């Protein structure tokens, strides 16, 4: 009985992948124990629970581990049926959300990463590609949310809210480190207002690390990436 509905999450404070899962657990109101992992000295439990990738996050529910953030998010939504539901009932809307979640993770997030890892002309090209991805997302989201019953109000979290929040809610720290505008209210009014509304959600406020701490980590990450590249 002690293990019944017991939830643990192995993660790291700066990981957008961990943050997605924490957001999901919090907005669903699911009690959980959080275990902060040192990725330079991974715990035996993490290696046991995720022997394939050896990465966070790992959700452990009733002693059973689930790895990979997107898989975990769908597991949470299917296991805990209470509101908010992360995916809508409409099959077409579900497929569209999955498409855009994939775009955010595989194209936008990776494009932002390339900006951090480059300098000079290579970085200029990476910035151009990143801004193009942001513009594609802006246009796609405006069209998607202009039809159907889905609404953006910064309160009723869905899968897209979780993904956008995890990837873009600390954009101001990235802007300070990189010296550029990721989200411009004139260029990307829809995304900018969406992110600003999400940042006002009590759960998001609780989970957002201190601004200066994020900046320090991003500066460290960029310096290391540039050293490796050279």
């Amino acid at each position: 009985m002690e293990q019944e509905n017991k939830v643990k999450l192995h993660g790291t404070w700066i990981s957008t992948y961990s943050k997605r899962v924490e957001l999901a657990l919090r907005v669903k109101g699911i009690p959980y124990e959080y275990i902060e992992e040192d990725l330079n000295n991974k715990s035996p439990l993490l290696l046991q629970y995720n022997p394939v990738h050896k990465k966070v996050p790992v959700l452990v529910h009733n002693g059973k581990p689930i790895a990979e953030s997107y898989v975990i998010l769908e597991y949470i939504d299917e296991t805990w049926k209470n509101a908010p539901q992360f995916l809508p009932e409409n099959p077409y809307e579900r497929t569209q959300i999955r498409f855009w979640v994939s775009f955010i993770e595989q194209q936008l997030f990776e494009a932002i990463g390339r900006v951090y890892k480059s300098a000079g002309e290579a970085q200029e090209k990476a910035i151009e590609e990143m801004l193009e991805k942001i513009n594609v997302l802006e246009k796609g989201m405006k069209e998607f949310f202009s039809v159907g019953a889905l609404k953006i109000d910064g309160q009723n979290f869905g899968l897209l809210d979780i993904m956008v929040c995890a990837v873009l809610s600390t954009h101001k720290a990235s802007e300070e480190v990189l010296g550029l505008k990721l989200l411009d209210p004139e260029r990307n009014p829809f995304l900018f207002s969406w992110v600003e509304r999400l940042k006002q959600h009590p759960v998001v406020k609780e989970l957002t690390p201190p601004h200066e701490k994020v900046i320090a980590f991003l500066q460290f990450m960029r310096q290391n990436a540039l050293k490796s590249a050279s």
Side-chain angles (χ1 to χ4, degrees), residues 93-170:
E93 289 181 345
R94 282 205 305 273
T95 60
Q96 291 301 295
I97 286 175
R98 287 188 174 112
F99 171 84
W100 285 111
V101 163
S102 175
F103 177 85
I104 293 168
E105 181 165 55
Q106 295 179 15
Q107 297 199 45
L108 176 57
F109 188 52
E110 290 183 6
I112 295 171
R114 284 193 290 274
V115 175
Y116 272 95
K117 296 172 184 176
S118 57
E121 288 184 11
Q123 189 187 44
E124 288 177 15
K125 184 180 179 183
I127 290 170
E128 187 179 328
E129 290 174 352
M130 178 193 69
L131 294 178
E132 181 186 346
K133 302 296 183 191
I134 291 174
N135 289 339
V136 168
L137 185 62
E138 168 85 9
K139 184 174 183 291
M141 292 297 90
K142 279 172 69 175
E143 291 175 355
F144 181 55
F145 284 101
S146 67
V147 296
L150 295 177
K151 304 294 180 189
I152 290 177
D153 58 12
Q155 296 297 320
N156 298 311
F157 265 73
L159 195 57
L160 276 172
D161 295 290
I162 289 171
M163 290 296 294
V164 166
C165 190
V167 173
L168 293 174
S169 64
T170 56

Side-chain angles (χ1 to χ4, degrees), residues 12-15 34 36 116 170 173-174 176-177 207-221:
T12 59
W13 69 273
I14 194 63
S15 166
Y34 177 76
E36 177 72 17
Y116 272 95
T170 56
S174 290
E176 191 167 328
V177 171
L207 288 176
T208 301
H211 182 69
E212 294 304 322
K213 188 178 180 183
V214 176
I215 286 176
F217 177 84
L218 293 177
Q219 287 173 333
F220 173 77
M221 183 184 75

